């Protein structure tokens, strides 16, 4: 059973008005999660039986079971048949955490002023100078492209008319460089509710894209020549942003549990940052294990380094709920969380965002003014209303169902028509499917031949920093109907057959 103080902490957490937007089971889950993270519940500690805890909290047993189920799915607890629930033995207390969970209550004495953030020389110069205050149809199988034909355009148009009627010509003026407050508030609510984050409107910076966010991180946080750890393989847009800033990218290999975080601490030469896609790694689709997330946070705390977390398509998961974002687990405020609406809504919207540690909000906002000044107010205000009225959540849920079916269709089509050439890995989420080549045709040759046949393929080899990457493709499925995919797969099969017969007379590899 919980000690009296622990039970009272859970009651205080779930009764705090600042958590009122969360469902009851989520409040219980996060309160217990915080007790575990703060070390108030040690590894291996038994938890109260769901019936007993429900009685103590005055809630239904199903509510407690839902909370325990999510804690188990995220790896915080273990459930043993006939024995009960226990804090996971893999977890260790992170030094520097308080002994009680945050409750959102107003603190007593004001904390001492924190030292200013350690910026790059370029970032410090941008902050000092004050910045500038003036404010095609996709082809199969291009990855990362959402379906736009089912977007509720009439709803969007209606909300935009409401915005124009309410704001008039004021909506035509320059917007604040940090973003419209209504949208920042809606984003913070979304990140907290859906991703388990710790966000406030004051910590959100609205941008045009996640690419802009990575460029800002590269230029503001690090100097040319400094090292940044990246996943191997890695999202090509991130690698290009870091290379353009003159950073030294250090690849870290992956396994079935994501980035091998232990290698960061074993590296003798320090690095100032790490870039990760923990919820749905690009391009492999793996999820970073909970113990590695906590180890990553501890590494950043010890080294005073930054974690750049790209949560690019976490809305689209097809089995249960996704694990909480790293930012929501980081009590030391070393994580920059990046999100985008390009994939969850439509690319033409051009709205992304960062949730920043408080000490980075002003430097990042000032630096942003030198890139494009601000994001257009009318789309921001419309999106804020779209989210507040529940349309965003409804659209994402609808697309989640559509994409899951299309993923299954593509997997079946590949097995039926391309089984001698490609081996797909069916992802648990996301909008694209990695497929490795099981024949001896050069990857680059196939990409070129497929493009001439009207098919877009993203090669996997080029996403690896090392030479050990297996050739293959990343095939997007979200934007294409089953009929469109079937036609494209048949065309791709013909391309592969022709390429196979013309490449030194070689056919598919013997996979037996």
């Amino acid at each position: 059973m919980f000690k009296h103080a622990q039970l009272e902490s859970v009651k205080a957490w779930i009764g705090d008005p600042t958590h009122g937007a969360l469902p009851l089971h989520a409040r219980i889950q996060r309160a217990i999660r915080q007790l575990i993270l703060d070390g108030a519940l040690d590894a291996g500690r038994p938890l109260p039986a769901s019936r007993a805890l429900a009685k103590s909290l005055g809630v239904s047993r199903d509510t407690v079971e839902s909370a325990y189920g999510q804690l188990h799915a995220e790896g915080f607890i273990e459930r043993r048949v006939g024995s009960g629930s226990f804090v996971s033995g893999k977890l260790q207390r992170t030094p520097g955490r308080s002994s009680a969970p945050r409750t959102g209550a107003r603190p007593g004495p004001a904390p001492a002023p924190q030292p200013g953030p350690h910026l790059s020389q370029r970032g410090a110069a941008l902050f000092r100078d004050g910045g500038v205050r003036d404010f095609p149809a996709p082809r199969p199988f291009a990855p990362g492209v959402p379906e736009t034909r089912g977007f509720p355009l009439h709803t969007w148009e209606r909300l935009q008319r409401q915005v124009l009627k309410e704001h008039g010509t004021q909506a035509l003026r320059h917007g604040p460089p940090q973003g419209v407050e209504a949208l920042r508030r809606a984003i913070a609510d979304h990140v907290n509710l859906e991703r388990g984050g710790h966000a406030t409107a004051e910590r959100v910076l609205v941008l045009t894209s996640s690419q802009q966010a990575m460029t800002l991180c590269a230029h503001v946080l690090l100097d040319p020549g400094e090292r940044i750890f990246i996943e191997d393989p890695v999202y090509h847009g991130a690698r290009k942003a870091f290379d353009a800033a003159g950073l030294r990218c250090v690849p870290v290999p992956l396994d079935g549990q994501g980035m091998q975080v232990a290698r960061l601490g074993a590296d003798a030469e320090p690095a100032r940052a790490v870039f990760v896609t923990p919820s749905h790694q690009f391009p492999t689709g793996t999820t970073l294990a909970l113990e590695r997330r906590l180890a990553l946070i501890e590494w950043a705390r010890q080294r005073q380094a930054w974690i750049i977390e790209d949560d690019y398509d976490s809305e689209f998961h097809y089995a249960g709920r996704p694990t909480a974002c790293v930012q929501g687990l980081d009590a030391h405020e070393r994580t920059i969380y990046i999100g985008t609406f390009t994939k969850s809504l439509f690319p033409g919207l051009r709205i992304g965002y960062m949730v920043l540690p408080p000490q980075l909000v002003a430097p990042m906002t000032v630096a942003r003014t030198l890139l494009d000044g601000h994001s257009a107010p009318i789309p921001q205000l419309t999106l804020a209303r779209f989210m507040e009225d529940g349309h965003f959540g409804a659209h994402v849920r609808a697309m989640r169902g559509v994409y899951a079916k299309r993923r299954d269709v593509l997997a079946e089509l590949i097995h039926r028509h391309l089984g001698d050439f490609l081996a797909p890995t069916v992802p648990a989420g996301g909008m694209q499917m990695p497929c490795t080549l099981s024949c001896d045709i050069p990857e680059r040759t196939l990409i070129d031949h497929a493009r001439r046949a009207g098919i877009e393929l993203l090669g996997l080899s080029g996403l690896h920093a090392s030479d050990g990457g297996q050739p293959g493709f990343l095939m997007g499925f979200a934007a294409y109907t089953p009929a469109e995919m079937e036609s494209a797969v048949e065309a791709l099969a013909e391309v592969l057959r022709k390429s196979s017969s013309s490449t030194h007379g070689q056919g598919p590899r013997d996979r037996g």
Side-chain angles (χ1 to χ4, degrees):
M1 289 293 294
F2 284 156
K3 295 179 181 178
H4 177 74
Q6 294 164 348
L7 181 62
E8 290 304 310
S9 293
V10 174
K11 290 180 178 179
W13 208 100
I14 64 178
D16 191 326
T18 61
H19 305 142
L22 295 172
L24 185 56
H25 73 272
R27 280 181 268 166
I28 296 171
Q29 177 253 331
R30 295 190 190 183
I32 298 174
R33 183 183 76 180
Q34 198 61 52
L35 284 170
I36 295 171
L37 290 172
D38 289 338
L41 295 176
D42 297 329
R45 173 77 175 271
L47 297 178
S50 58
R51 190 185 304 277
L53 183 57
K55 184 177 180 180
S56 298
L57 298 177
V59 301
S60 72
R61 185 184 181 186
D62 287 345
T63 299
V64 175
E65 279 292 330
S66 295
Y68 278 4
Q70 182 63 17
L71 287 166
H72 179 253
E74 293 187 355
F76 283 97
I77 69 172
E78 300 168 358
R79 310 198 75 179
R80 305 168 192 166
V81 177
S83 299
S85 300
F86 301 80
V87 178
S88 174
K90 297 180 180 180
L91 304 181
Q92 295 181 352
R93 183 176 177 179
T94 301
R97 289 187 179 272
S98 63
S99 59
R102 292 184 292 268
T103 64
R106 184 181 299 276
Q114 296 295 314
H118 184 81
L119 307 179
S120 69
Q121 295 176 4
R122 185 191 307 109
L126 292 172
F127 187 31
R128 255 193 334 269
D129 293 340
V132 178
R133 296 297 296 180
D134 288 332
F135 305 114
R139 305 195 303 177
F141 291 95
V145 182
E147 175 62 88
T148 57
R149 289 168 290 191
F151 183 78
L153 196 56
H154 293 301
T155 299
W156 186 268
E157 290 174 337
R158 175 173 57 81
L159 296 176
Q160 183 168 280
R161 287 195 299 271
Q162 291 177 7
V163 164
L164 291 172
K165 183 177 181 179
E166 179 178 336
H167 294 273
T169 56
Q170 289 185 347
L172 308 180
R173 300 175 182 174
H174 290 294
Q178 190 178 342
V180 171
E181 182 180 1
L183 179 56
R184 290 190 282 113
R185 188 168 55 247
I187 289 171
D189 290 344
H190 167 70
V191 171
N192 292 340
L193 180 62
E194 297 295 336
R195 302 298 301 117
H198 290 304
T200 63
E202 293 73 25
R203 295 174 62 174
V204 173
L205 174 61
V206 178
L207 301 167
T208 57
S209 65
S210 57
Q211 189 69 36
Q212 187 181 51
M214 288 181 280
T215 298
L216 276 172
C217 289
H219 284 79
V220 174
L221 301 179
L222 297 96
D223 288 314
E226 289 193 305
R227 288 158 44 102
I228 180 172
F229 288 122
I230 61 171
E231 300 163 321
D232 187 23
V234 69
Y235 171 53
H236 49 289
R239 178 66 184 268
K240 290 179 180 179
F242 303 147
D243 285 343
L247 308 185
R248 294 165 57 198
C249 293
V250 181
V252 180
L254 310 173
D255 59 23
Q257 295 186 326
M259 174 185 272
Q260 297 178 22
V261 175
R263 293 181 178 241
L264 275 60
D267 198 298
E269 190 175 353
R272 291 282 311 285
V274 58
F275 172 80
V276 288
T277 52
S279 296
H280 184 230
Q281 202 277 333
F282 187 99
T284 65
T286 59
T287 297
L288 188 64
L290 173 62
E291 54 268 28
R292 295 191 182 183
R293 293 173 185 236
L294 298 178
L296 185 65
I297 292 168
E298 177 60 12
W299 170 84
R301 184 193 70 83
Q302 291 180 356
R303 303 297 179 92
Q304 288 298 285
W306 300 107
I307 301 169
I308 303 171
E309 178 182 13
D310 184 6
D311 209 25
Y312 63 101
D313 67 355
S314 63
E315 289 89 358
F316 301 116
H317 49 274
Y318 310 125
R321 291 182 59 83
T323 55
C325 62
V326 171
Q327 191 268 354
L329 302 175
D330 181 8
H332 311 293
E333 297 184 335
R334 305 301 305 176
T335 303
I336 296 103
Y337 178 90
I338 298 174
T340 179
F341 294 98
T342 294
K343 294 175 173 58
S344 54
L345 292 179
F346 54 94
L349 183 58
R350 306 312 302 155
I351 293 181
Y353 60 91
M354 289 194 287
V355 180
L356 296 163
Q359 68 269 34
L360 289 182
V361 174
M364 287 287 194
T365 303
V366 170
R368 184 267 167 92
T369 65
L370 291 175
L371 298 182
D372 61 355
H374 69 107
S375 296
I378 294 174
Q380 288 189 75
L381 291 166
T382 305
L383 176 56
R385 194 158 296 194
F386 192 77
M387 298 177 76
E388 291 165 356
D389 292 353
H391 303 298
F392 176 73
H395 179 67
V396 166
R397 288 191 295 273
M399 290 298 100
R400 193 180 295 147
V402 170
Y403 295 170
K405 292 178 182 177
R406 292 182 178 183
R407 173 202 61 174
D408 295 342
V409 167
L410 179 58
E412 194 277 329
L413 288 170
I414 291 173
H415 284 300
R416 190 197 318 164
H417 297 285
L418 305 173
D420 289 335
F421 302 98
L422 295 178
T425 299
V426 181
M431 305 163 69
Q432 51 267 329
M433 184 178 299
C435 302
T436 54
L437 270 171
S438 51
C439 61
D440 294 321
I441 311 171
E443 179 187 278
R444 183 71 253 174
T445 298
L446 283 179
I447 291 174
D448 292 339
H449 290 176
R451 181 169 292 127
R452 286 195 288 270
I455 298 168
E456 294 291 340
L457 299 172
L458 176 63
L460 292 177
S461 295
L463 304 179
H464 288 264
S466 60
D467 295 329
Q470 189 169 356
F473 312 111
L474 201 59
M475 300 178 67
F477 53 78
Y480 319 108
T481 66
E484 290 167 341
M485 287 193 289
E486 183 169 14
S487 176
V489 164
E490 290 174 351
L492 181 58
E494 182 64 21
V495 168
L496 285 162
R497 283 192 291 269
K498 289 181 178 179
S499 298
S500 178
S501 62
S502 63
T503 304
H504 309 299
Q506 295 174 334
R509 294 175 184 161
D510 182 1
R511 294 182 292 166

